[in-house]
Amino acid sequence: MSATFVGMPAFPTAARAALGDTQLRRNMAHATHTIREKRAAVVAEVEDWEDLRLAGAGVKEAALRDLATHLETLEASLTRAGATVHWARDAEEACAIVARITHAHGVDEVVKVKSMATAEIGLNEALEAEGIAAWETDLAELIVQLGDDLPSHILVPAIHRNRAEIREIFRRRMGDVGRAAPGGLTDDPTALAGAAREHLREKFLGAKVAVSGANFAVADSGTLVVVESEGNGRMCLTLPEVLISVVGIEKVVATWSDLDPMLRLLPRSSTGERMNPYTSTWSGVTPGDGPQEVHVVLLDNGRTRALADDVGRQALRCIRCSACLNVCPVYERTGGHAYGSVYPGPIGAILNPLLRGVEDEQTASLPYASSLCGACFEVCPVRIDIPSVLVDQRAAVVDSHRDDRVPKAEAVAMKAAAWAFSDSRRLAWAEKASGLGGRVLRRFGRTTLPGGRAAAGRLPGPGAGWTGARDLPAPPEESFRAWWDRTGGGQSEGGHS
C-alpha cells in the first residue's frame, strides 16, 4: 500500500480540495444518509436507549478510573490461559513485536482482521519494510488496500468509493496479489462480494499467522472479543496456527457481565443492526482448537497521555462505532481523508490531538473541524461529550502558541483588546475611533465591513479568514457610554425604568 497520511496538509486545506470533488460528495451523502437512517430505526425500537447509553458509559468510565489494576488483571488472566502478553509504549515498539514474532515462524505474509489499532500504528507499512505482506480480509479494507488508497471511515473504510470504482479496482489489481477477479465482473454487490470471497479464501487457507485487534478485552477472564459482519474475522481467528492481537489499553472492561450493554449498543450504533452477525471470543490457547500460539500486544501510543487529560479522557470510552461520523455535517461534506488520520470525523478531531498533542499544524487544525452543533454527542452510545472536548482542545491549541516568538494574528488582536479594555480612558478613545469608522462606512453606504455577506470582497490579510464566512457589522457611530452620558441614562429621550 503506497498511500499514507504522513505529510497531509492541515484540515482547511485538505477540506477545500475534498469539497471540489463532486463524486466524493455524492458518495458520502448517499452512504452516510443510508447508515444514519438504519441506525435511527433500530435505536427507536429500544425504549430504554438512554438508560443503555448511561450503562455503557458507566462500564467504560469505571474501567478507565482503575485502568492499571484492570490491565494487570487482564495480563494475569491471559497468561494463565496460555497467551503471551507484550507491552508496547508506542507504534514503533508494537510493530517491532509483531514483525519479530512473524519472522520467528519463517513466513512472509499474514492475514488481518479489520483493526483500527493496527491502522493507527501503520503496521502494514512497517511489516512491508520487513519483507512481510499483510493482507486485509475485511471487504472494505481490501478495497482500500488494492486501490492503494486510504481509509476514510472508521466502520466503512471505502465509503468514498462507489460500486463502479470498486469493480475497476478488483479487475485491475486482484490478479497482481492473488486470485484474479472473474472475467466479466459487474458492479452488482453480490458479484463483487463473490469475487472478494474467492480471492480471500486462498489467503485464509494458506496463512500461518494472523493479526487482529479487539473490540473489548475482559480483564477477569482474559477474553478478547471481536465483533464483525462478514465472517472474515472468524476465519482469521480460527484457521492460522499463530494469532497476534494488537489491543489498545482502553479496550479493557472489568468483567464478562460488562459486555452486556456494550454488545447491545455497538451493532445498533455502527451498522444499524439489532445484533452483529459474528461475535468471536477467545481466551489464550485451547489444545487442538484454533491457534496454538497466541500473542497479545497491549498498546499505549498516547493513551496514557489522553487519560491524564481531565476533560479529554472521556474520548477513551469510544467503541469505534462511527455514529458520530454519520451525523456530522462537516464529515459528510469533506469525507475522511481531509482529517489526515485513520480516525476521521468528530471522534478523530478530539482523539488525534489527545493521542499526539497539538504541536504540529495538521493535528492542531482538527479541533476546529466542527460546527459544534452537538449531533455527535446525541448519537454517541457511550455519551462522549465531543463538543466540550473540542472546545477544550481548541484552548490547548491556543495555549501551545502563547510563547511563540512571532505571535499569531489572533493573539495580537486579543492582546490589543486586553490593552484597550484594561483602562477606561483607552476604551473611551477606542470607542470614539470606532464610531468615526462607523460614520465613514455609512457615508459610503456600507452597513457591514468588507467580507460580510452584505458586502462585496473580503478583508485583506488576517481578517480574510474571519470575514469570508461571517457578517462583521460596521461599528456604531455612538457607543453605549457616549449615549448614556449624552442622554442622562436615557431620560432625555423619554427612557423609563
Side-chain angles (χ1 to χ4, degrees), residues 407-477:
K408 292 184 176 296
E410 180 185 32
V412 173
M414 291 299 104
K415 286 182 179 179
W419 178 82
F421 291 165
S422 63
D423 183 275
S424 61
R425 289 171 298 179
R426 290 197 289 263
L427 179 59
W429 178 86
E431 288 172 343
K432 289 179 181 178
S434 68
L436 176 62
R439 286 192 290 274
V440 170
L441 287 170
R442 281 176 173 79
R443 168 168 285 188
F444 289 98
R446 285 189 183 273
T447 56
T448 61
L449 289 178
R453 287 188 293 274
R458 301 176 66 181
L459 281 180
W466 178 267
T467 60
R470 302 171 178 86
D471 283 336
L472 186 58
E477 296 182 22

Side-chain angles (χ1 to χ4, degrees), residues 54-70 252-255 258 307 313 317:
L54 288 167
V59 166
K60 294 293 288 185
E61 190 61 32
L64 291 172
R65 287 183 182 278
D66 198 12
L67 185 59
T69 299
H70 295 314
V252 69
V253 297
T255 66
D258 286 339
L307 189 65
R313 60 182 289 149
R317 298 204 298 252

Side-chain angles (χ1 to χ4, degrees), residues 50 107 166 174 232 304 376:
E50 286 305 310
V107 299
I166 294 168
M174 271 188 171
N232 63 296
T304 53
C376 47

